[in-house]
Amino acid sequence: MAGCACAKISTADGLVLGAIQIMLGIFHVFMWYFLLILYMGQIKGVFGKYEPITYKTGCSLWGIIFIIAGVSIIRAAWHPNQGPVTCALVMNIFCIITAVIAAALTIVELSKFDSVSYRNYGQAKLGREVSRILLSTYPLEFAIALTYSIYGCIGLDSSGNFLAARHFLCWKLFISLAS
């Protein structure tokens, strides 16, 4: 049974999705570096330092996963064999999980704000603005990873070459999204 030819993701679409993921990942890593410099410069005041949960967990540094997923998508677009396609699907499943966890941690961070020393208030306020900007990028990363994962599962060869891999990866994708 032949699948729909339009259901496969094209090489150009794969390259664009991979490039966007790489750019988002680089943006997140740069924001992590900015937050690192910002929060390291705090002065211990009466109310202490502002160290949000996303800073303690290195949430912005998780952009490295987005970069690796983007590279794997580009590799799968240029070499659409079972290995690179499987690697790209697995990395995009990790991206989906990472984006959801990072968004949840950022929402928790932005929902509460403890008092900080007046010396550190400006840095805390700027750090929260950076977190708001990063929060707006997580749905985009989620959408890109989910799009590639769905079309990657659909676009696998229906003639039986990748049939077992397709069923396994699609099943794992939807199980991980459901939980």
Side-chain angles (χ1 to χ4, degrees):
M1 181 174 178
C4 177
C6 63
K8 285 187 172 184
I9 192 162
S10 70
T11 302
D13 291 338
L15 293 175
V16 168
L17 289 175
I20 292 172
Q21 271 194 323
I22 291 170
M23 287 188 288
L24 280 173
I26 290 171
F27 177 73
H28 280 260
V29 170
F30 282 153
M31 288 296 106
W32 173 80
Y33 182 72
F34 176 72
L35 290 174
L36 178 72
I37 299 300
L38 182 72
Y39 291 141
M40 283 179 58
Q42 294 186 71
I43 301 167
K44 180 145 178 81
V46 177
F47 293 106
K49 295 181 177 181
Y50 179 69
E51 294 179 338
I53 190 167
T54 55
Y55 173 69
K56 290 178 182 177
T57 60
C59 195
S60 297
L61 191 59
W62 296 352
I64 292 173
I65 294 173
F66 303 152
I67 295 170
I68 294 170
V71 169
S72 67
I73 287 177
I74 291 174
R75 184 171 175 227
W78 284 115
H79 307 289
N81 299 329
Q82 184 178 6
V85 170
T86 304
C87 179
L89 286 172
V90 169
M91 285 308 301
N92 277 291
I93 291 170
F94 284 144
C95 278
I96 291 169
I97 294 167
T98 302
V100 168
I101 291 171
L105 288 175
T106 306
I107 289 170
V108 167
E109 172 194 335
L110 293 175
S111 66
K112 65 180 186 118
F113 185 67
D114 297 328
S115 297
V116 294
S117 174
Y118 69 92
R119 297 178 190 164
N120 299 330
Y121 182 76
Q123 292 164 321
K125 189 79 170 155
L126 184 59
R128 289 173 62 82
E129 292 301 322
V130 169
S131 293
R132 284 187 185 96
I133 292 169
L134 290 175
L135 183 62
S136 68
T137 63
Y138 293 129
L140 178 61
E141 182 60 44
F142 177 83
I144 290 171
L146 184 65
T147 300
Y148 184 82
S149 297
I150 290 171
Y151 281 104
C153 285
I154 291 171
L156 286 176
D157 190 11
S158 298
S159 64
N161 294 344
F162 300 130
L163 192 58
R166 180 176 81 176
H167 287 290
F168 175 74
L169 289 173
C170 291
W171 179 253
K172 286 295 186 182
L173 169 69
F174 294 117
I175 291 298
S176 67
L177 290 176
S179 57

